[in-house]
Amino acid sequence: MANIKVDGKLVEVPDYYTLMQAAEAAGAEIPRFCYHERLSVAGNCRMCLVEVKGGPPKPQASCAMSVKDLRPGPNGEAPEMFTNTPMVKKAREGVMEFLLINHPLDCPICDQGGECDLQDQAMAYGVDKNRFAENKRAVEDKYIGPLVKTSMNRCIHCTRCVRFTTEVAGIAEMGLLGRGEDAEITTYLEKALSSELQGNVIDLCPVGALTNKPYAFQARPWELNKTETIDVMDAVGSNIRVDSRGREVMRVLPRLNESINEEWISDKTRFIWDGLKSQRLDRPYVRRNRKLASTTWDDAFQTVAKAVKKPGVRIGAIAGDLAGAEEMFALKALLATLGSANVDARPAGSTLNPAAGRASYIFNPAIAGLEEADAILLIGTNPRKEASLVNARIRKVWRATGLPIALIGENADLTYPVQHLGAGMDTLSDLASGNGSFAETWSKAKKPVVIVGEAAATPDVLAAAAKLATSNTELAEGWNGFAVLHNAASRVGALDVGFVPGKGAADTSAMLSGGVDVLFLLGADEVDLTQLGTTMVVYIGTHGDNGANRADVILPAATYTEKSATYVNTEGRVQMTTRAVFPPGDAKEDWSIIRALSGFVGKALPFNSLPQLRAALYADYPHLARIDVIAPSKASDIAKLAKLSPKPGKPSFASPVGDFYLTNPIARASAIMAECSATVAGLRQAAE
């Protein structure tokens, strides 16, 4: 630790702190454009100038100078810096004047207006006149993809976008070309960016050079209602803010959460909003004479009730990727009253089961815990597609520590180097037995992490992975490196509430092959419905997608921005969405549909409101009441899993996510996501 005086106030800070960090610790505000806490230091905007006592007789860039670089006073006094002297004020005014030499007068038509760092700092630290009368330079706008709009005349060359794409996103496709007045930020080959995180440069840009292309000219920030909620496009549970106007979602922005997504979100999370209002189901439908016809809620409920009341009828339910814990709990309870245990929320063939303990199906090290890992093994997963924020976290750890990363499964560009060991069960068995090229590295790891993809989570793979996670006798105390990486927001919550088949009941595969007479699909669109035969399908969902096309009865429901629902992310963290807008037309929240239906079938569920439903849910599963908390898992469950000798199966080591942008009905209804998918396909074809 070191002592430093900031504007006369003595503070103690770590000696590796920059002067900017020391000033913030003392409560002093320092303006900046190029500096960002999560990116490397560039030191090129010079807006953060401060005066250092005893230093050179000129202002110093506080972002690029450390506290330990300052000299103490002649008698050992703490070094001093000043953030508000006349020298500093004059220097900042000069820097701002230079920055505005070429900046166009676009403020009235700029999408950054109202959220522009340059506007704010020009008002706070600039002057009311400009001494330069030369013509402003003009820079050609660049095409960098369908998501980010460029207005490069406004660019101040802070290079935040370049550093983000290179360091965080892991793509070397953007940089600064030219010198002096000819310097330009551009993609090197004049093509679209290929990262799933590229939309974050919109938030990073301190001026209006990079803005949100789909949102351009749609609204001003002061028109929007801002709702803090969570994302359900994958199992990460990124914290987001939904901005809406009236009954329409206008945009999605990230919220800071160091434990999950830091301050980034994926492009699917950010740009999915147009799919929330396209191809929506806004009224009940019943299939008559082979055609779906709109009807009333009472008629739809009576049709379902008539079907489930038939003697000897076999009833089943499959929950989809976007279902909340409340509706799954209610649907499970409804089927239980009808005498059926045929419920499942897992993909066909999955054997994950809460009976093996919660530790057997969650990401035990936690997402933030990856930063402590000293070796990582990926089994049958592509985190770049399945959980792009987890992939970014792994890259962050690799950049900081250079830890070894190995992969068993399909080889892919994960934005960091991996040692591809093989693509099958033989490779995994060899490594679990202590053989292979990665075995020695793994044996030395004190905090290893085994990440198993959901498609590969068969009993033999899980047993081998658990063995690897517990194989080293010198593991750090309390470390549990067994991690299952889910790709659906609903999966962990479904396993937590026991939405899996009872003893002797039909699982997803059995139900999809005609094992039931009436099948409830709770937003289940990612399943193969071609083998159902004459099974009656009741679809509770939001979009005219796969499930609705096969449905005999459609009960329109609410999306994640239109309801308050509980989700549990892949690490087991309980989170809750907040309603930002109301569902369209006659659509209702999922739990209320199930509650109303229970009355029509003569098996009324014992709750009439969401608080009553949650009281019942929390009584059975108390950990779901602890929002933003990960319930402790038992390491002994992993030890038991490691000792199992399951029958060999045929695990899939291929990622279940084929197209990152089209993984759920909301994404497939989005024109923006369709354009992104086509763009990526074009880039892939051009590379081949």
Side-chain angles (χ1 to χ4, degrees):
M1 302 292 284
N3 291 323
I4 182 173
K5 276 189 176 181
V6 181
D7 297 331
K9 179 180 179 181
L10 183 66
V11 294
E12 186 179 30
V13 296
D15 62 358
Y16 58 82
Y17 262 30
T18 63
L19 299 186
M20 180 182 289
Q21 290 172 307
E24 290 178 343
E29 181 181 349
I30 294 183
R32 81 291 300 264
F33 289 116
C34 69
Y35 177 80
H36 191 277
E37 293 82 356
R38 302 183 197 278
L39 305 176
S40 60
V41 174
N44 55 10
C45 78
R46 318 309 286 180
M47 194 64 201
C48 65
L49 296 174
V50 296
E51 182 178 349
V52 176
K53 184 175 182 180
K58 62 179 181 178
Q60 301 296 307
S62 62
C63 70
M65 179 176 279
S66 298
V67 172
K68 62 185 177 184
D69 294 333
L70 299 187
R71 292 178 298 184
N75 299 314
E77 300 97 334
E80 286 192 63
M81 61 176 284
F82 303 94
T83 67
N84 53 11
T85 61
M87 177 200 284
V88 172
K89 183 175 183 295
K90 183 177 180 182
R92 289 174 180 169
E93 289 174 352
V95 169
M96 182 60 69
E97 195 172 359
F98 273 116
L99 286 175
L100 295 177
I101 290 175
N102 284 311
H103 198 77
L105 303 176
D106 281 349
C107 295
I109 59 157
C110 176
D111 258 9
Q112 200 90 347
E115 299 171 315
C116 179
D117 291 346
L118 186 62
Q119 274 187 343
D120 296 341
Q121 293 187 37
M123 291 294 293
Y125 303 103
V127 290
D128 59 354
K129 57 186 178 295
N130 192 327
R131 290 171 289 175
F132 294 91
E134 288 78 11
N135 292 330
K136 295 180 182 290
R137 75 167 190 162
V139 182
E140 182 182 355
D141 291 341
K142 311 297 189 298
Y143 172 77
I144 61 174
L147 303 178
V148 182
K149 179 186 176 187
T150 61
S151 299
M152 302 314 291
N153 283 337
R154 305 168 187 162
C155 181
I156 62 170
H157 299 165
C158 71
T159 68
R160 279 187 179 184
C161 55
V162 176
R163 284 175 285 147
F164 173 82
T165 54
T166 305
E167 297 167 11
V168 179
I171 56 168
E173 299 173 0
M174 200 171 189
L176 188 144
L177 303 181
R179 299 177 65 186
E181 193 176 47
D182 296 325
E184 297 182 23
I185 300 288
T186 179
T187 52
Y188 296 121
L189 300 178
E190 296 283 341
K191 65 175 186 177
L193 297 176
S194 62
S195 173
E196 300 80 14
L197 302 172
Q198 61 182 279
N200 291 291
V201 301
I202 297 166
D203 299 329
L204 287 172
C205 185
V207 296
L210 303 176
T211 56
N212 190 324
K213 185 179 284 189
Y215 171 73
F217 310 118
Q218 297 296 311
R220 287 295 194 186
W222 53 84
E223 299 178 78
L224 304 175
N225 294 317
K226 300 166 179 64
T227 307
E228 294 187 349
T229 182
I230 63 165
D231 172 57
V232 299
M233 291 298 108
D234 53 31
V236 175
S238 301
N239 285 218
I240 59 173
R241 191 187 87 193
V242 173
D243 288 358
S244 58
R245 184 173 60 190
R247 300 189 66 163
E248 187 176 351
V249 173
M250 302 300 294
R251 66 175 178 178
V252 176
L253 297 174
R255 279 193 297 132
L256 179 67
N257 190 315
E258 297 289 356
S259 300
I260 304 174
N261 58 302
E262 297 181 297
E263 60 186 87
W264 320 122
I265 53 175
S266 73
D267 293 341
K268 187 164 50 175
T269 299
R270 184 185 298 270
F271 296 104
I272 199 75
W273 50 266
D274 69 319
L276 294 168
K277 52 195 173 186
S278 301
Q279 300 179 28
R280 288 299 302 271
L281 301 172
D282 59 357
R283 66 194 72 176
Y285 288 85
V286 173
R287 190 178 297 276
R288 294 190 175 97
N289 299 321
R290 298 185 179 182
K291 290 186 178 181
L292 286 169
S294 60
T295 186
T296 63
W297 277 105
D298 284 359
D299 180 47
F301 285 147
Q302 288 167 1
T303 302
V304 178
K306 182 179 178 182
V308 300
K309 286 181 177 179
K310 290 180 181 178
V313 66
R314 298 169 300 168
I315 307 171
I318 299 175
D321 294 354
L322 308 182
E326 289 86 353
E327 51 254 37
M328 289 188 285
F329 177 77
L331 186 55
K332 178 189 173 187
L334 175 60
L335 262 69
T337 64
L338 296 172
S340 174
N342 301 323
V343 297
D344 207 350
R346 304 165 301 177
S350 175
T351 58
L352 293 172
N353 198 314
R358 196 167 191 254
S360 69
Y361 60 82
I362 66 170
F363 202 95
N364 290 286
I367 295 171
L370 286 172
E371 299 192 20
E372 300 179 40
D374 52 7
I376 294 177
L377 174 64
L378 304 171
I379 303 174
T381 182
N382 182 339
R384 184 172 178 180
K385 288 184 177 180
E386 297 168 32
S388 50
L389 272 305
V390 172
N391 195 66
R393 185 81 71 153
I394 295 174
R395 175 174 168 79
K396 176 183 177 182
V397 181
W398 169 76
R399 289 189 71 245
T401 66
L403 84 168
I405 306 171
L407 169 66
I408 298 176
E410 285 186 336
N411 201 4
D413 177 12
L414 299 179
T415 72
Y416 43 82
V418 297
Q419 183 179 345
H420 187 229
L421 305 179
M425 190 64 208
D426 293 343
T427 306
L428 179 58
S429 299
D430 287 345
L431 184 58
S433 301
N435 302 318
S437 56
F438 196 66
E440 183 179 354
T441 301
W442 190 260
S443 65
K444 295 177 181 177
K446 301 297 187 293
K447 291 188 175 182
V449 176
V450 186
I451 302 179
V452 182
E454 195 171 11
T458 58
D460 47 344
V461 172
L462 292 174
K467 184 177 179 181
L468 283 166
T470 57
S471 59
N472 191 349
T473 56
E474 298 182 7
L475 284 178
E477 184 177 353
W479 182 255
N480 185 347
F482 180 85
V484 177
L485 183 60
H486 294 272
N487 55 70
S490 67
R491 202 83 75 223
V492 177
L495 293 166
D496 277 356
V497 302
F499 203 88
V500 293
K503 187 175 182 180
D507 62 5
T508 297
S509 298
M511 287 187 275
L512 292 176
S513 58
V516 293
D517 302 312
V518 178
L519 178 61
F520 287 89
L521 296 179
L522 187 59
D525 293 276
E526 315 309 318
V527 293
D528 183 8
L529 303 174
T530 58
Q531 304 298 319
L532 280 177
T534 59
T535 300
M536 179 181 178
V537 175
V538 180
Y539 179 73
I540 304 173
T542 60
H543 286 72
D545 204 75
N546 187 29
N549 290 336
R550 174 57 183 82
D552 297 290
V553 178
I554 294 176
L555 306 176
T559 64
Y560 69 104
T561 58
E562 300 161 359
K563 64 185 178 184
S564 176
T566 302
Y567 290 87
V568 187
N569 76 348
T570 191
E571 60 183 353
R573 186 183 301 273
V574 181
Q575 300 187 105
M576 192 177 290
T577 62
T578 304
R579 181 168 61 197
V581 295
F582 287 91
D586 294 332
K588 302 180 184 298
E589 293 187 32
D590 309 62
W591 74 266
S592 64
I593 295 173
I594 296 166
R595 169 61 184 86
L597 177 59
S598 70
F600 276 83
V601 301
K603 304 285 186 180
L605 295 172
F607 46 80
N608 295 310
S609 65
L610 188 55
Q612 291 178 357
L613 167 58
R614 284 187 173 146
L617 177 66
Y618 299 158
D620 289 351
Y621 308 101
H623 73 279
L624 294 179
R626 298 193 287 272
I627 303 302
D628 202 33
V629 172
I630 303 174
S633 57
K634 298 177 181 177
S636 58
D637 292 336
I638 305 304
K640 291 177 185 176
L641 195 61
K643 294 177 182 177
L644 294 178
S645 299
K647 295 179 181 178
K650 291 185 178 180
S652 170
F653 285 91
S655 172
V657 179
D659 191 327
F660 169 78
Y661 295 102
L662 303 176
T663 55
N664 59 61
I666 303 177
R668 288 189 288 273
S670 167
I672 301 171
M673 294 295 100
E675 187 175 358
C676 289
S677 177
T679 301
V680 169
L683 291 174
R684 191 180 299 116
Q685 186 175 1
E688 294 173 354

